[in-house]
Amino acid sequence: GIFYFTASLGFEFTDASTMHMASFVKFSFASSIPDGYPSPLWQFLLMMGEWFHLDPLLSSKVLSLVFSCLVGFVSYLVANEILRDRLIALCVSLLLAMQGWLLQIAPSGSALGLAIALALTALFFMLRNEYVVAPFLLGLCTLVFWQAVFLLVPLCVDVWLNSVSKRRASK
């Protein structure tokens, strides 16, 4: 709640690429796709808002704020899974929530909050050896930022090391 309130104080800040993406969605793709926005999942979420007659700029800002809040929650889960200490996990999530870059991108309409939330959620499921959910979430993460494809390497290494048999791991 404190993160949401603090981040929402900067709600009037909007970066240029977010404004361009909002106009791209609002005017039925009449403009060109903005540079640095090869994100089909984020475009789809903004288009869903447009289907319900919501302003794409407002939708992107609210979704960005919600997914950035989700980053704090998922970071708690990941830290608790690794450290097995709830107090330290709470401190880790509070430290992440107080980072200036997260407070700045949260209300700006950026898709980075969604990408971080998906990557951390995939890491959480990797730590729990859920090898069906983790690749699915990493695949969704690549639909936000293509650089997430490099997260598949640690997943493959994790599957190889923690598999019952090497033959099954290679499959």
Side-chain angles (χ1 to χ4, degrees):
I2 293 170
F3 173 79
Y4 190 86
F5 177 73
T6 306
S8 65
L9 292 175
F11 202 74
E12 66 274 352
F13 170 74
T14 306
D15 62 346
S17 62
T18 301
M19 292 179 69
H20 193 79
M21 176 56 76
S23 68
F24 175 74
V25 171
K26 186 172 188 164
F27 297 115
S28 302
F29 308 104
S31 62
S32 63
I33 294 177
D35 294 336
Y37 252 91
S39 172
L41 183 59
W42 190 250
Q43 289 176 8
F44 177 72
L45 290 174
L46 294 182
M47 281 185 253
M48 282 182 50
E50 183 68 24
W51 293 339
F52 294 110
H53 304 290
L54 300 173
D55 181 39
L57 183 61
L58 181 63
S59 298
S60 68
K61 292 171 88 55
V62 169
L63 285 174
S64 178
L65 193 56
V66 167
F67 286 123
S68 294
C69 288
L70 186 64
V71 166
F73 176 69
V74 176
S75 68
Y76 169 80
L77 293 176
V78 169
N80 190 32
E81 187 70 26
I82 293 171
L83 302 172
R84 303 282 184 203
D85 187 355
R86 291 182 181 171
L87 182 62
I88 295 176
L90 179 65
C91 291
V92 166
S93 65
L94 287 175
L95 282 173
L96 182 64
M98 289 188 295
Q99 294 296 313
W101 61 268
L102 188 60
L103 287 170
Q104 184 179 11
I105 66 157
S108 71
S110 173
L112 189 59
L114 174 61
I116 295 170
L118 286 172
L120 283 175
T121 308
L123 178 64
F124 174 74
F125 284 110
M126 281 173 54
L127 291 170
R128 290 189 161 220
N129 295 330
E130 295 287 338
Y131 296 124
V132 175
V133 180
F136 176 74
L137 290 171
L138 286 177
L140 286 177
C141 194
T142 59
L143 290 176
V144 179
F145 287 108
W146 68 268
Q147 293 89 345
V149 76
F150 295 114
L151 295 174
L152 292 173
V153 173
L155 176 69
C156 292
V157 169
D158 187 39
V159 168
W160 182 261
L161 293 176
N162 294 325
S163 183
V164 176
S165 70
K166 300 302 176 196
R167 184 174 182 172
R168 182 175 177 203
S170 64
K171 286 183 183 180

